[in-house]
Amino acid sequence: MFRKVLFPTDFSEGAEEAAKRFERVNEMPVGGEVILLHVIDEGAIEDLMNGYSLLYENEELELKEVEEKLKMKAMERLQSKVEDVKRIFKTEKVKPVVRFGIPWEEIVRVAEEEDVSLILLPTHGKLGFSKELLGSTAMRVVKKTLRPVLLLKPKCKLGGEEE
């Protein structure tokens, strides 16, 4: 039985498929809680803001406002997924968490801070195959964490199921 599971999501179809596959093959309830994590990629925000810096009187203040709005929207999306996550992981405890940073670094950091017993990670998120055969975030998490990681491909056969 898993005491605490970290499930990072980028709200992509790949993350949703990974959760559904886990639900189909997992027969054990999570004994403690699920940490439902979304990381807002700081690099994407900086890229977005770079082209518009001349439009703002105070770029740093504007960036903070954008960050806060994104965190609020991400938390709303996580909250809307809580009931599904409870069902999928067979638990009543789900803790939504939003972080701002580099996704793989924040996943590893949250795994340590929360002392998770498993990281359930989709292999491909929003970037799909554009980076590497195995998603770059997933690969870095596997390399950098000391925690067990269960990688789930969006399309794969599990326990005799057919695609």
Side-chain angles (χ1 to χ4, degrees):
M1 182 179 324
F2 303 113
R3 164 182 56 70
K4 192 183 275 192
V5 174
L6 173 60
F7 182 58
T9 181
D10 59 3
F11 305 117
S12 68
E13 189 176 315
E16 195 169 312
E17 283 299 313
K20 287 176 183 175
R21 289 187 179 281
F22 183 79
E23 180 179 26
R24 284 196 292 262
V25 299
N26 181 45
E27 296 176 5
M28 296 184 306
V30 172
E33 71 180 321
V34 173
I35 309 301
L36 182 60
L37 172 67
H38 177 72
V39 180
I40 299 167
D41 189 340
E42 69 181 21
I45 302 304
E46 289 172 6
D47 289 347
L48 178 69
M49 295 298 286
N50 278 341
Y52 298 98
S53 61
L54 297 175
L55 299 176
Y56 305 116
E57 291 179 28
N58 186 338
E59 185 179 352
E60 191 172 311
L61 180 63
E62 191 71 27
L63 184 60
K64 282 287 182 207
E65 287 178 20
V66 168
E67 285 176 23
E68 289 307 311
K69 286 179 183 175
L70 286 171
K71 284 180 182 178
M72 188 176 70
K73 287 292 185 188
M75 184 56 81
E76 287 174 10
R77 286 187 77 182
L78 287 178
Q79 292 287 356
S80 74
K81 306 267 184 211
V82 165
E83 291 305 314
D84 288 340
V85 171
K86 285 180 179 181
R87 185 192 74 251
I88 289 167
F89 290 91
K90 301 173 182 73
T91 186
E92 285 302 312
K93 290 184 178 180
V94 176
K95 178 180 178 182
V97 175
V98 176
R99 291 289 180 94
F100 185 82
I102 299 168
W104 71 267
E105 288 179 353
E106 293 303 317
I107 292 167
V108 170
R109 184 173 292 121
V110 170
E112 288 303 315
E113 289 171 4
E114 293 287 344
D115 190 27
V116 301
S117 54
L118 178 71
I119 303 171
L120 178 64
L121 199 59
T123 57
H124 297 87
K126 289 191 185 291
L127 296 177
F129 286 97
S130 66
K131 287 282 186 183
E132 301 170 27
L133 186 59
L134 175 64
S136 60
T137 297
M139 187 179 307
R140 287 186 177 119
V141 169
V142 169
K143 286 182 179 180
K144 298 295 183 178
T145 188
L146 298 175
R147 305 292 170 164
V149 178
L150 175 59
L151 295 174
L152 285 175
K153 294 174 19 176
K155 304 280 186 201
C156 62
K157 290 183 182 179
L158 294 173
E161 74 178 357
E162 296 294 324
E163 273 303 313

